[in-house]
Amino acid sequence: MGEAVIELHGLVNRLGERTIHDGLELQVERGEFMAVVGGSGAGKTVLLRTLALLQRPAAGTLRLFGEAITDPEAPRVHPLRQRMGVLFQGGALFGDLSVTENVLRPLREHTRLPEPLLQEIAAIKLHLAGLDPSVGPQPPRSLSGGMIKRAALARALALDPELLLLDEPTAGLDPVAAARFDAVITRLRKLLGLTVVVVTHDTASIDAIADRVAFLGEGRILAVDTPASLRRHPRPDIRRFFSPRAAITEEESPWKRA
Amino acid sequence: MTLRSDAAIPAPHSERALLLPEPAERRLRLAGPWRATVLAEAAREAQRWHPGPGEWTLDLTGVSTLDTTGAALVHQLRQRIIQAGGTAEVVGADDIRQQLLSLVGEAPAPAASPPRPLRPVSGLGRWALDHGRAGLVLLAFLGAIALAALPALRRPRLLQPAAISAEMVRAGVGALPITGLLAFLVGIVVAYQGGAVLAPYGATTFMVELVGNSQLRELGPILVAIIVAGRTGSAYAAELGTMRVTGEIDALRTMGVDPLQALVLPRLLALMVVLPLVTLWADATGLAGGILIAGLLFDLEPAVFLARMPEAVWQSSLWLGLAKAPIFAILVAVVGCHHGLQVRGSAAEVGRATTMAVVQAIFLVILTDALFSVVFRQLDL
């Protein structure tokens, strides 16, 4: 404990001319559950893509598992990818593979385990993610939205990653399915010692599972604290993010009252 | 999915998982990191190992890390001991590892993938039926387009002139450089090969008949139709396919807009208008190529070539060639739009639909052209 899995210092990200992040500072400790929140377009997904080594930062330093990463494409960085699992917002399941083969894709790439064991592992991962084994042989296009999320989670867990990156895992799920998803993550986290970074809008989910919350805005991380303390944060925009209905004021109303 | 990343990069942990059976003490000692990436040898070892009955001990004290894959193997070993009539006790597992083992144990058995009944004969039969049905569906689609066009007879505004003209620019004007260049080159090839045969007989003046008739009657229209099938037919299939995947087609339907009328008809009409024009252009550049070669290599002056054209080239060649173009346009546009609208589900289907559209359109264009040749010959045109 106390060892930082993720360290960001002065991280700058640009997409074309637009500066998305202008000096991010963030540390995520091993075993921690960090939620990243912020308004639409605040750069949450770009941050997650940077952590997943899909986006090359324009400036600043990024350390994953204690290793400084300057070039995310360098061969030296490659083994780090085996130590993290990513759940993409839309699932990003391979359409031409069955669900089972989707889960086994990373295992087939990085291990040479015998086939019966592989099949058993796929069934275990599906079970961990809360899916029935009968889903395994089906193609992803026959699944519902919630099942796709869970199948994608099973795939992200395939190599038992130390770091799990989740992009909007509960978006588009009904409250019961979202709560079940949170329960799955919490249980896995305890058993597998996961470090989790999750991008989400779901404040109920944050309360249930997050240790700390990083609030992104104005290209920086405005606050990092527990969900409870962010509710009492001096900045009103942060406080309001956590208020029950994010009520809007009279001036902000898109229509003028008659 | 056969992508393989650089295999030369070493695994993050060079240590391996070890499986050390001690049959005398009925003990199975596990050591090292029992992690997915370094487990292959231990897993193979486990397959070769046959437990005898007895009271076995699975000793995990030497295991440095245990992940779910490792736990799955431990569970498998335990199951096999039990099946062999023995008992298995796990030692050296703390609370977390115990939980992991029981979690792995509670997972249900994997579902067997459905058998694939792909025997050669039944496969061939299904293939033939599928293709027969696809032909019928295409005919039905043609009928649906005709029905969708009916209201426009009374209200021409429904045909969306703006959309049609934009489509004409895209499919027609955009195709001018490539069709012109290719027809020019084909004209050169025909003149060159024909001239080489005619020259020994001193009959190079007949190059006008050869180049003129073949270009106007056959090569021009078919070349243009094939290029447009690859260029525009594929675009139609991909556009409409993507619109299906993203739900835009359904969105149109909910607004009470008929997708056939809004999307298919403008494309079809634009192509029908523009394809004869592009064919005329390809005829001209093809003749230019022929004239160039005749003048440069076979001493047939361009002025002589042009002067002989009216008598050498049958009137029917030009008109038949141009008359075929709208038919080819219908084939290309209808097949392209049809495959686009047939897309179900994922983006991968769009690629498949595009390929199908191009292959089928080119096939139908050449087949139709062959039929035309026979019919025109019989009619003595």
Side-chain angles (χ1 to χ4, degrees), chain A residues 105 109 111-112 121 125 127-128 133 160 187 191, chain B residues 3 5 36-37 44 67-69 99 103 106 111:
Chain A
R105 186 70 188 79
E109 177 76 31
T111 72
R112 274 184 291 270
I121 291 164
K125 304 285 172 181
H127 177 71
L128 286 183
D160 278 16
R187 186 178 184 198
L191 285 181
Chain B
L3 277 173
S5 55
T37 43
R44 251 169 269 283
D67 71 359
T68 37
T69 307
Q99 282 193 43
L103 186 73
E106 80 190 38

mmCIF file with all atom_site columns, all heavy atoms in Angstrom, chain A residues 105 109 111-112 121 125 127-128 133 160 187 191, chain B residues 3 5 36-37 44 67-69 99 103 106 111:
data_model
loop_
_atom_site.group_PDB
_atom_site.id
_atom_site.type_symbol
_atom_site.label_atom_id
_atom_site.label_alt_id
_atom_site.label_comp_id
_atom_site.label_asym_id
_atom_site.label_entity_id
_atom_site.label_seq_id
_atom_site.pdbx_PDB_ins_code
_atom_site.Cartn_x
_atom_site.Cartn_y
_atom_site.Cartn_z
_atom_site.occupancy
_atom_site.B_iso_or_equiv
_atom_site.pdbx_formal_charge
_atom_site.auth_seq_id
_atom_site.auth_comp_id
_atom_site.auth_asym_id
_atom_site.auth_atom_id
_atom_site.pdbx_PDB_model_num
ATOM 1   N N   . ARG A 1 105 ? -9.678  -13.645 -26.179 1.00 0.00 ? 105 ARG A N   1
ATOM 2   C CA  . ARG A 1 105 ? -8.745  -13.012 -27.123 1.00 0.00 ? 105 ARG A CA  1
ATOM 3   C C   . ARG A 1 105 ? -7.432  -12.620 -26.444 1.00 0.00 ? 105 ARG A C   1
ATOM 4   O O   . ARG A 1 105 ? -6.365  -12.978 -26.944 1.00 0.00 ? 105 ARG A O   1
ATOM 5   C CB  . ARG A 1 105 ? -9.435  -11.811 -27.763 1.00 0.00 ? 105 ARG A CB  1
ATOM 6   C CG  . ARG A 1 105 ? -8.654  -11.131 -28.864 1.00 0.00 ? 105 ARG A CG  1
ATOM 7   C CD  . ARG A 1 105 ? -8.588  -12.007 -30.087 1.00 0.00 ? 105 ARG A CD  1
ATOM 8   N NE  . ARG A 1 105 ? -7.680  -11.449 -31.083 1.00 0.00 ? 105 ARG A NE  1
ATOM 9   C CZ  . ARG A 1 105 ? -6.375  -11.530 -31.045 1.00 0.00 ? 105 ARG A CZ  1
ATOM 10  N NH1 . ARG A 1 105 ? -5.798  -12.147 -30.034 1.00 0.00 ? 105 ARG A NH1 1
ATOM 11  N NH2 . ARG A 1 105 ? -5.628  -11.000 -31.977 1.00 0.00 ? 105 ARG A NH2 1
ATOM 12  N N   . GLU A 1 109 ? -3.626  -14.459 -26.852 1.00 0.00 ? 109 GLU A N   1
ATOM 13  C CA  . GLU A 1 109 ? -2.485  -13.664 -27.289 1.00 0.00 ? 109 GLU A CA  1
ATOM 14  C C   . GLU A 1 109 ? -1.293  -13.850 -26.351 1.00 0.00 ? 109 GLU A C   1
ATOM 15  O O   . GLU A 1 109 ? -0.168  -13.983 -26.805 1.00 0.00 ? 109 GLU A O   1
ATOM 16  C CB  . GLU A 1 109 ? -2.888  -12.181 -27.336 1.00 0.00 ? 109 GLU A CB  1
ATOM 17  C CG  . GLU A 1 109 ? -1.779  -11.218 -27.697 1.00 0.00 ? 109 GLU A CG  1
ATOM 18  C CD  . GLU A 1 109 ? -1.454  -11.241 -29.172 1.00 0.00 ? 109 GLU A CD  1
ATOM 19  O OE1 . GLU A 1 109 ? -2.377  -11.501 -29.969 1.00 0.00 ? 109 GLU A OE1 1
ATOM 20  O OE2 . GLU A 1 109 ? -0.279  -11.026 -29.533 1.00 0.00 ? 109 GLU A OE2 1
ATOM 21  N N   . THR A 1 111 ? -0.955  -16.095 -23.527 1.00 0.00 ? 111 THR A N   1
ATOM 22  C CA  . THR A 1 111 ? -0.669  -17.345 -22.820 1.00 0.00 ? 111 THR A CA  1
ATOM 23  C C   . THR A 1 111 ? -0.763  -18.494 -23.807 1.00 0.00 ? 111 THR A C   1
ATOM 24  O O   . THR A 1 111 ? -1.261  -18.339 -24.915 1.00 0.00 ? 111 THR A O   1
ATOM 25  C CB  . THR A 1 111 ? -1.680  -17.603 -21.687 1.00 0.00 ? 111 THR A CB  1
ATOM 26  O OG1 . THR A 1 111 ? -2.933  -17.955 -22.281 1.00 0.00 ? 111 THR A OG1 1
ATOM 27  C CG2 . THR A 1 111 ? -1.868  -16.396 -20.806 1.00 0.00 ? 111 THR A CG2 1
ATOM 28  N N   . ARG A 1 112 ? -0.269  -19.637 -23.396 1.00 0.00 ? 112 ARG A N   1
ATOM 29  C CA  . ARG A 1 112 ? -0.433  -20.838 -24.219 1.00 0.00 ? 112 ARG A CA  1
ATOM 30  C C   . ARG A 1 112 ? -1.086  -21.924 -23.382 1.00 0.00 ? 112 ARG A C   1
ATOM 31  O O   . ARG A 1 112 ? -0.565  -23.026 -23.254 1.00 0.00 ? 112 ARG A O   1
ATOM 32  C CB  . ARG A 1 112 ? 0.913   -21.302 -24.767 1.00 0.00 ? 112 ARG A CB  1
ATOM 33  C CG  . ARG A 1 112 ? 1.298   -20.607 -26.057 1.00 0.00 ? 112 ARG A CG  1
ATOM 34  C CD  . ARG A 1 112 ? 2.572   -21.155 -26.612 1.00 0.00 ? 112 ARG A CD  1
ATOM 35  N NE  . ARG A 1 112 ? 3.703   -20.801 -25.761 1.00 0.00 ? 112 ARG A NE  1
ATOM 36  C CZ  . ARG A 1 112 ? 4.423   -19.687 -25.921 1.00 0.00 ? 112 ARG A CZ  1
ATOM 37  N NH1 . ARG A 1 112 ? 4.159   -18.888 -26.906 1.00 0.00 ? 112 ARG A NH1 1
ATOM 38  N NH2 . ARG A 1 112 ? 5.411   -19.414 -25.119 1.00 0.00 ? 112 ARG A NH2 1
ATOM 39  N N   . ILE A 1 121 ? -11.872 -20.980 -17.981 1.00 0.00 ? 121 ILE A N   1
ATOM 40  C CA  . ILE A 1 121 ? -11.564 -19.619 -17.542 1.00 0.00 ? 121 ILE A CA  1
ATOM 41  C C   . ILE A 1 121 ? -12.578 -18.629 -18.122 1.00 0.00 ? 121 ILE A C   1
ATOM 42  O O   . ILE A 1 121 ? -13.066 -17.739 -17.417 1.00 0.00 ? 121 ILE A O   1
ATOM 43  C CB  . ILE A 1 121 ? -10.136 -19.228 -17.969 1.00 0.00 ? 121 ILE A CB  1
ATOM 44  C CG1 . ILE A 1 121 ? -9.122  -20.040 -17.176 1.00 0.00 ? 121 ILE A CG1 1
ATOM 45  C CG2 . ILE A 1 121 ? -9.892  -17.754 -17.742 1.00 0.00 ? 121 ILE A CG2 1
ATOM 46  C CD1 . ILE A 1 121 ? -7.741  -20.010 -17.764 1.00 0.00 ? 121 ILE A CD1 1
ATOM 47  N N   . LYS A 1 125 ? -14.856 -16.052 -16.020 1.00 0.00 ? 125 LYS A N   1
ATOM 48  C CA  . LYS A 1 125 ? -14.869 -14.593 -16.202 1.00 0.00 ? 125 LYS A CA  1
ATOM 49  C C   . LYS A 1 125 ? -16.291 -14.102 -16.485 1.00 0.00 ? 125 LYS A C   1
ATOM 50  O O   . LYS A 1 125 ? -16.701 -13.052 -15.987 1.00 0.00 ? 125 LYS A O   1
ATOM 51  C CB  . LYS A 1 125 ? -13.959 -14.179 -17.358 1.00 0.00 ? 125 LYS A CB  1
ATOM 52  C CG  . LYS A 1 125 ? -12.530 -14.642 -17.240 1.00 0.00 ? 125 LYS A CG  1
ATOM 53  C CD  . LYS A 1 125 ? -11.745 -13.854 -16.244 1.00 0.00 ? 125 LYS A CD  1
ATOM 54  C CE  . LYS A 1 125 ? -10.384 -14.488 -16.045 1.00 0.00 ? 125 LYS A CE  1
ATOM 55  N NZ  . LYS A 1 125 ? -9.549  -13.812 -15.085 1.00 0.00 ? 125 LYS A NZ  1
ATOM 56  N N   . HIS A 1 127 ? -18.973 -15.521 -15.471 1.00 0.00 ? 127 HIS A N   1
ATOM 57  C CA  . HIS A 1 127 ? -19.691 -15.617 -14.204 1.00 0.00 ? 127 HIS A CA  1
ATOM 58  C C   . HIS A 1 127 ? -19.332 -14.444 -13.297 1.00 0.00 ? 127 HIS A C   1
ATOM 59  O O   . HIS A 1 127 ? -20.205 -13.868 -12.641 1.00 0.00 ? 127 HIS A O   1
ATOM 60  C CB  . HIS A 1 127 ? -19.346 -16.946 -13.538 1.00 0.00 ? 127 HIS A CB  1
ATOM 61  C CG  . HIS A 1 127 ? -19.977 -17.122 -12.191 1.00 0.00 ? 127 HIS A CG  1
ATOM 62  N ND1 . HIS A 1 127 ? -21.330 -17.333 -12.033 1.00 0.00 ? 127 HIS A ND1 1
ATOM 63  C CD2 . HIS A 1 127 ? -19.455 -17.096 -10.945 1.00 0.00 ? 127 HIS A CD2 1
ATOM 64  C CE1 . HIS A 1 127 ? -21.603 -17.438 -10.746 1.00 0.00 ? 127 HIS A CE1 1
ATOM 65  N NE2 . HIS A 1 127 ? -20.485 -17.296 -10.069 1.00 0.00 ? 127 HIS A NE2 1
ATOM 66  N N   . LEU A 1 128 ? -18.033 -14.105 -13.244 1.00 0.00 ? 128 LEU A N   1
ATOM 67  C CA  . LEU A 1 128 ? -17.592 -12.971 -12.425 1.00 0.00 ? 128 LEU A CA  1
ATOM 68  C C   . LEU A 1 128 ? -18.307 -11.697 -12.854 1.00 0.00 ? 128 LEU A C   1
ATOM 69  O O   . LEU A 1 128 ? -18.685 -10.870 -12.032 1.00 0.00 ? 128 LEU A O   1
ATOM 70  C CB  . LEU A 1 128 ? -16.087 -12.750 -12.586 1.00 0.00 ? 128 LEU A CB  1
ATOM 71  C CG  . LEU A 1 128 ? -15.136 -13.735 -11.906 1.00 0.00 ? 128 LEU A CG  1
ATOM 72  C CD1 . LEU A 1 128 ? -13.706 -13.294 -12.131 1.00 0.00 ? 128 LEU A CD1 1
ATOM 73  C CD2 . LEU A 1 128 ? -15.438 -13.813 -10.435 1.00 0.00 ? 128 LEU A CD2 1
ATOM 74  N N   . PRO A 1 133 ? -23.458 -18.709 -18.486 1.00 0.00 ? 133 PRO A N   1
ATOM 75  C CA  . PRO A 1 133 ? -22.561 -19.340 -19.474 1.00 0.00 ? 133 PRO A CA  1
ATOM 76  C C   . PRO A 1 133 ? -23.214 -19.539 -20.836 1.00 0.00 ? 133 PRO A C   1
ATOM 77  O O   . PRO A 1 133 ? -22.512 -19.643 -21.845 1.00 0.00 ? 133 PRO A O   1
ATOM 78  C CB  . PRO A 1 133 ? -22.189 -20.676 -18.836 1.00 0.00 ? 133 PRO A CB  1
ATOM 79  C CG  . PRO A 1 133 ? -23.123 -20.870 -17.715 1.00 0.00 ? 133 PRO A CG  1
ATOM 80  C CD  . PRO A 1 133 ? -23.595 -19.536 -17.274 1.00 0.00 ? 133 PRO A CD  1
ATOM 81  N N   . ASP A 1 160 ? -6.615  -10.847 -15.528 1.00 0.00 ? 160 ASP A N   1
ATOM 82  C CA  . ASP A 1 160 ? -6.548  -10.400 -14.137 1.00 0.00 ? 160 ASP A CA  1
ATOM 83  C C   . ASP A 1 160 ? -5.688  -9.150  -13.992 1.00 0.00 ? 160 ASP A C   1
ATOM 84  O O   . ASP A 1 160 ? -4.618  -9.177  -13.391 1.00 0.00 ? 160 ASP A O   1
ATOM 85  C CB  . ASP A 1 160 ? -6.007  -11.513 -13.234 1.00 0.00 ? 160 ASP A CB  1
ATOM 86  C CG  . ASP A 1 160 ? -7.091  -12.486 -12.869 1.00 0.00 ? 160 ASP A CG  1
ATOM 87  O OD1 . ASP A 1 160 ? -8.130  -12.472 -13.532 1.00 0.00 ? 160 ASP A OD1 1
ATOM 88  O OD2 . ASP A 1 160 ? -6.904  -13.261 -11.923 1.00 0.00 ? 160 ASP A OD2 1
ATOM 89  N N   . ARG A 1 187 ? -16.795 -6.577  -5.481  1.00 0.00 ? 187 ARG A N   1
ATOM 90  C CA  . ARG A 1 187 ? -16.370 -7.906  -5.062  1.00 0.00 ? 187 ARG A CA  1
ATOM 91  C C   . ARG A 1 187 ? -15.038 -8.276  -5.719  1.00 0.00 ? 187 ARG A C   1
ATOM 92  O O   . ARG A 1 187 ? -14.120 -8.768  -5.063  1.00 0.00 ? 187 ARG A O   1
ATOM 93  C CB  . ARG A 1 187 ? -17.446 -8.914  -5.463  1.00 0.00 ? 187 ARG A CB  1
ATOM 94  C CG  . ARG A 1 187 ? -17.154 -10.292 -4.953  1.00 0.00 ? 187 ARG A CG  1
ATOM 95  C CD  . ARG A 1 187 ? -18.255 -11.246 -5.324  1.00 0.00 ? 187 ARG A CD  1
ATOM 96  N NE  . ARG A 1 187 ? -17.996 -12.550 -4.750  1.00 0.00 ? 187 ARG A NE  1
ATOM 97  C CZ  . ARG A 1 187 ? -18.588 -13.659 -5.172  1.00 0.00 ? 187 ARG A CZ  1
ATOM 98  N NH1 . ARG A 1 187 ? -19.461 -13.599 -6.152  1.00 0.00 ? 187 ARG A NH1 1
ATOM 99  N NH2 . ARG A 1 187 ? -18.307 -14.809 -4.621  1.00 0.00 ? 187 ARG A NH2 1
ATOM 100 N N   . LEU A 1 191 ? -11.282 -9.226  -4.106  1.00 0.00 ? 191 LEU A N   1
ATOM 101 C CA  . LEU A 1 191 ? -10.653 -10.527 -4.338  1.00 0.00 ? 191 LEU A CA  1
ATOM 102 C C   . LEU A 1 191 ? -9.365  -10.411 -5.144  1.00 0.00 ? 191 LEU A C   1
ATOM 103 O O   . LEU A 1 191 ? -8.415  -11.142 -4.906  1.00 0.00 ? 191 LEU A O   1
ATOM 104 C CB  . LEU A 1 191 ? -11.625 -11.435 -5.102  1.00 0.00 ? 191 LEU A CB  1
ATOM 105 C CG  . LEU A 1 191 ? -12.766 -11.990 -4.291  1.00 0.00 ? 191 LEU A CG  1
ATOM 106 C CD1 . LEU A 1 191 ? -13.625 -12.882 -5.153  1.00 0.00 ? 191 LEU A CD1 1
ATOM 107 C CD2 . LEU A 1 191 ? -12.220 -12.766 -3.103  1.00 0.00 ? 191 LEU A CD2 1
ATOM 108 N N   . LEU B 2 3   ? -4.245  -10.843 -35.578 1.00 0.00 ? 3   LEU B N   1
ATOM 109 C CA  . LEU B 2 3   ? -3.177  -9.912  -35.247 1.00 0.00 ? 3   LEU B CA  1
ATOM 110 C C   . LEU B 2 3   ? -2.307  -10.483 -34.147 1.00 0.00 ? 3   LEU B C   1
ATOM 111 O O   . LEU B 2 3   ? -2.807  -10.946 -33.134 1.00 0.00 ? 3   LEU B O   1
ATOM 112 C CB  . LEU B 2 3   ? -3.775  -8.590  -34.753 1.00 0.00 ? 3   LEU B CB  1
ATOM 113 C CG  . LEU B 2 3   ? -4.207  -7.613  -35.820 1.00 0.00 ? 3   LEU B CG  1
ATOM 114 C CD1 . LEU B 2 3   ? -4.925  -6.451  -35.160 1.00 0.00 ? 3   LEU B CD1 1
ATOM 115 C CD2 . LEU B 2 3   ? -3.010  -7.126  -36.569 1.00 0.00 ? 3   LEU B CD2 1
ATOM 116 N N   . SER B 2 5   ? 0.901   -9.339  -31.759 1.00 0.00 ? 5   SER B N   1
ATOM 117 C CA  . SER B 2 5   ? 1.808   -8.261  -31.456 1.00 0.00 ? 5   SER B CA  1
ATOM 118 C C   . SER B 2 5   ? 3.217   -8.833  -31.351 1.00 0.00 ? 5   SER B C   1
ATOM 119 O O   . SER B 2 5   ? 3.416   -10.042 -31.392 1.00 0.00 ? 5   SER B O   1
ATOM 120 C CB  . SER B 2 5   ? 1.399   -7.608  -30.153 1.00 0.00 ? 5   SER B CB  1
ATOM 121 O OG  . SER B 2 5   ? 1.330   -8.585  -29.161 1.00 0.00 ? 5   SER B OG  1
ATOM 122 N N   . ALA B 2 36  ? -1.865  -16.036 -15.031 1.00 0.00 ? 36  ALA B N   1
ATOM 123 C CA  . ALA B 2 36  ? -2.239  -16.489 -16.381 1.00 0.00 ? 36  ALA B CA  1
ATOM 124 C C   . ALA B 2 36  ? -1.050  -16.521 -17.335 1.00 0.00 ? 36  ALA B C   1
ATOM 125 O O   . ALA B 2 36  ? -0.840  -17.492 -18.054 1.00 0.00 ? 36  ALA B O   1
ATOM 126 C CB  . ALA B 2 36  ? -3.328  -15.571 -16.948 1.00 0.00 ? 36  ALA B CB  1
ATOM 127 N N   . THR B 2 37  ? -0.224  -15.453 -17.319 1.00 0.00 ? 37  THR B N   1
ATOM 128 C CA  . THR B 2 37  ? 0.802   -15.324 -18.352 1.00 0.00 ? 37  THR B CA  1
ATOM 129 C C   . THR B 2 37  ? 1.944   -16.315 -18.183 1.00 0.00 ? 37  THR B C   1
ATOM 130 O O   . THR B 2 37  ? 2.696   -16.547 -19.125 1.00 0.00 ? 37  THR B O   1
ATOM 131 C CB  . THR B 2 37  ? 1.372   -13.892 -18.347 1.00 0.00 ? 37  THR B CB  1
ATOM 132 O OG1 . THR B 2 37  ? 1.567   -13.489 -17.003 1.00 0.00 ? 37  THR B OG1 1
ATOM 133 C CG2 . THR B 2 37  ? 0.414   -12.953 -19.040 1.00 0.00 ? 37  THR B CG2 1
ATOM 134 N N   . ARG B 2 44  ? 0.123   -27.697 -18.556 1.00 0.00 ? 44  ARG B N   1
ATOM 135 C CA  . ARG B 2 44  ? 0.423   -28.907 -19.331 1.00 0.00 ? 44  ARG B CA  1
ATOM 136 C C   . ARG B 2 44  ? 0.831   -30.050 -18.397 1.00 0.00 ? 44  ARG B C   1
ATOM 137 O O   . ARG B 2 44  ? 0.445   -31.206 -18.576 1.00 0.00 ? 44  ARG B O   1
ATOM 138 C CB  . ARG B 2 44  ? 1.540   -28.612 -20.339 1.00 0.00 ? 44  ARG B CB  1
ATOM 139 C CG  . ARG B 2 44  ? 1.023   -28.579 -21.760 1.00 0.00 ? 44  ARG B CG  1
ATOM 140 C CD  . ARG B 2 44  ? 2.056   -28.045 -22.697 1.00 0.00 ? 44  ARG B CD  1
ATOM 141 N NE  . ARG B 2 44  ? 1.918   -26.611 -22.819 1.00 0.00 ? 44  ARG B NE  1
ATOM 142 C CZ  . ARG B 2 44  ? 0.962   -26.031 -23.556 1.00 0.00 ? 44  ARG B CZ  1
ATOM 143 N NH1 . ARG B 2 44  ? 0.117   -26.755 -24.245 1.00 0.00 ? 44  ARG B NH1 1
ATOM 144 N NH2 . ARG B 2 44  ? 0.859   -24.730 -23.618 1.00 0.00 ? 44  ARG B NH2 1
ATOM 145 N N   . ASP B 2 67  ? -3.917  -15.681 -9.335  1.00 0.00 ? 67  ASP B N   1
ATOM 146 C CA  . ASP B 2 67  ? -5.002  -14.955 -9.988  1.00 0.00 ? 67  ASP B CA  1
ATOM 147 C C   . ASP B 2 67  ? -6.122  -15.932 -10.337 1.00 0.00 ? 67  ASP B C   1
ATOM 148 O O   . ASP B 2 67  ? -6.039  -17.117 -10.003 1.00 0.00 ? 67  ASP B O   1
ATOM 149 C CB  . ASP B 2 67  ? -4.493  -14.161 -11.198 1.00 0.00 ? 67  ASP B CB  1
ATOM 150 C CG  . ASP B 2 67  ? -4.098  -15.053 -12.358 1.00 0.00 ? 67  ASP B CG  1
ATOM 151 O OD1 . ASP B 2 67  ? -4.194  -16.281 -12.216 1.00 0.00 ? 67  ASP B OD1 1
ATOM 152 O OD2 . ASP B 2 67  ? -3.693  -14.512 -13.401 1.00 0.00 ? 67  ASP B OD2 1
ATOM 153 N N   . THR B 2 68  ? -7.144  -15.459 -10.993 1.00 0.00 ? 68  THR B N   1
ATOM 154 C CA  . THR B 2 68  ? -8.289  -16.353 -11.233 1.00 0.00 ? 68  THR B CA  1
ATOM 155 C C   . THR B 2 68  ? -7.914  -17.510 -12.144 1.00 0.00 ? 68  THR B C   1
ATOM 156 O O   . THR B 2 68  ? -8.441  -18.606 -11.993 1.00 0.00 ? 68  THR B O   1
ATOM 157 C CB  . THR B 2 68  ? -9.470  -15.595 -11.882 1.00 0.00 ? 68  THR B CB  1
ATOM 158 O OG1 . THR B 2 68  ? -8.966  -14.644 -12.789 1.00 0.00 ? 68  THR B OG1 1
ATOM 159 C CG2 . THR B 2 68  ? -10.322 -14.935 -10.853 1.00 0.00 ? 68  THR B CG2 1
ATOM 160 N N   . THR B 2 69  ? -7.012  -17.272 -13.106 1.00 0.00 ? 69  THR B N   1
ATOM 161 C CA  . THR B 2 69  ? -6.601  -18.374 -13.977 1.00 0.00 ? 69  THR B CA  1
ATOM 162 C C   . THR B 2 69  ? -5.878  -19.439 -13.163 1.00 0.00 ? 69  THR B C   1
ATOM 163 O O   . THR B 2 69  ? -6.147  -20.635 -13.321 1.00 0.00 ? 69  THR B O   1
ATOM 164 C CB  . THR B 2 69  ? -5.691  -17.837 -15.093 1.00 0.00 ? 69  THR B CB  1
ATOM 165 O OG1 . THR B 2 69  ? -6.356  -16.765 -15.742 1.00 0.00 ? 69  THR B OG1 1
ATOM 166 C CG2 . THR B 2 69  ? -5.369  -18.906 -16.087 1.00 0.00 ? 69  THR B CG2 1
ATOM 167 N N   . GLN B 2 99  ? -11.465 -17.396 -0.823  1.00 0.00 ? 99  GLN B N   1
ATOM 168 C CA  . GLN B 2 99  ? -12.623 -16.793 -1.488  1.00 0.00 ? 99  GLN B CA  1
ATOM 169 C C   . GLN B 2 99  ? -12.510 -16.905 -2.995  1.00 0.00 ? 99  GLN B C   1
ATOM 170 O O   . GLN B 2 99  ? -13.485 -17.188 -3.699  1.00 0.00 ? 99  GLN B O   1
ATOM 171 C CB  . GLN B 2 99  ? -12.733 -15.322 -1.100  1.00 0.00 ? 99  GLN B CB  1
ATOM 172 C CG  . GLN B 2 99  ? -13.311 -15.100 0.265   1.00 0.00 ? 99  GLN B CG  1
ATOM 173 C CD  . GLN B 2 99  ? -13.688 -13.644 0.448   1.00 0.00 ? 99  GLN B CD  1
ATOM 174 O OE1 . GLN B 2 99  ? -14.257 -13.030 -0.449  1.00 0.00 ? 99  GLN B OE1 1
ATOM 175 N NE2 . GLN B 2 99  ? -13.374 -13.091 1.600   1.00 0.00 ? 99  GLN B NE2 1
ATOM 176 N N   . LEU B 2 103 ? -14.973 -18.845 -5.384  1.00 0.00 ? 103 LEU B N   1
ATOM 177 C CA  . LEU B 2 103 ? -15.589 -18.100 -6.488  1.00 0.00 ? 103 LEU B CA  1
ATOM 178 C C   . LEU B 2 103 ? -15.428 -18.857 -7.803  1.00 0.00 ? 103 LEU B C   1
ATOM 179 O O   . LEU B 2 103 ? -16.364 -18.995 -8.600  1.00 0.00 ? 103 LEU B O   1
ATOM 180 C CB  . LEU B 2 103 ? -14.921 -16.733 -6.598  1.00 0.00 ? 103 LEU B CB  1
ATOM 181 C CG  . LEU B 2 103 ? -15.538 -15.763 -7.599  1.00 0.00 ? 103 LEU B CG  1
ATOM 182 C CD1 . LEU B 2 103 ? -16.848 -15.250 -7.073  1.00 0.00 ? 103 LEU B CD1 1
ATOM 183 C CD2 . LEU B 2 103 ? -14.603 -14.613 -7.868  1.00 0.00 ? 103 LEU B CD2 1
ATOM 184 N N   . GLU B 2 106 ? -17.699 -21.869 -7.899  1.00 0.00 ? 106 GLU B N   1
ATOM 185 C CA  . GLU B 2 106 ? -19.146 -21.672 -8.053  1.00 0.00 ? 106 GLU B CA  1
ATOM 186 C C   . GLU B 2 106 ? -19.545 -21.337 -9.493  1.00 0.00 ? 106 GLU B C   1
ATOM 187 O O   . GLU B 2 106 ? -20.725 -21.367 -9.835  1.00 0.00 ? 106 GLU B O   1
ATOM 188 C CB  . GLU B 2 106 ? -19.637 -20.556 -7.125  1.00 0.00 ? 106 GLU B CB  1
ATOM 189 C CG  . GLU B 2 106 ? -19.379 -19.166 -7.641  1.00 0.00 ? 106 GLU B CG  1
ATOM 190 C CD  . GLU B 2 106 ? -19.653 -18.101 -6.584  1.00 0.00 ? 106 GLU B CD  1
ATOM 191 O OE1 . GLU B 2 106 ? -19.345 -18.328 -5.395  1.00 0.00 ? 106 GLU B OE1 1
ATOM 192 O OE2 . GLU B 2 106 ? -20.184 -17.059 -6.968  1.00 0.00 ? 106 GLU B OE2 1
ATOM 193 N N   . ALA B 2 111 ? -20.753 -23.366 -21.525 1.00 0.00 ? 111 ALA B N   1
ATOM 194 C CA  . ALA B 2 111 ? -21.754 -23.890 -22.457 1.00 0.00 ? 111 ALA B CA  1
ATOM 195 C C   . ALA B 2 111 ? -21.053 -24.396 -23.711 1.00 0.00 ? 111 ALA B C   1
ATOM 196 O O   . ALA B 2 111 ? -20.118 -23.776 -24.194 1.00 0.00 ? 111 ALA B O   1
ATOM 197 C CB  . ALA B 2 111 ? -22.740 -22.781 -22.828 1.00 0.00 ? 111 ALA B CB  1
#
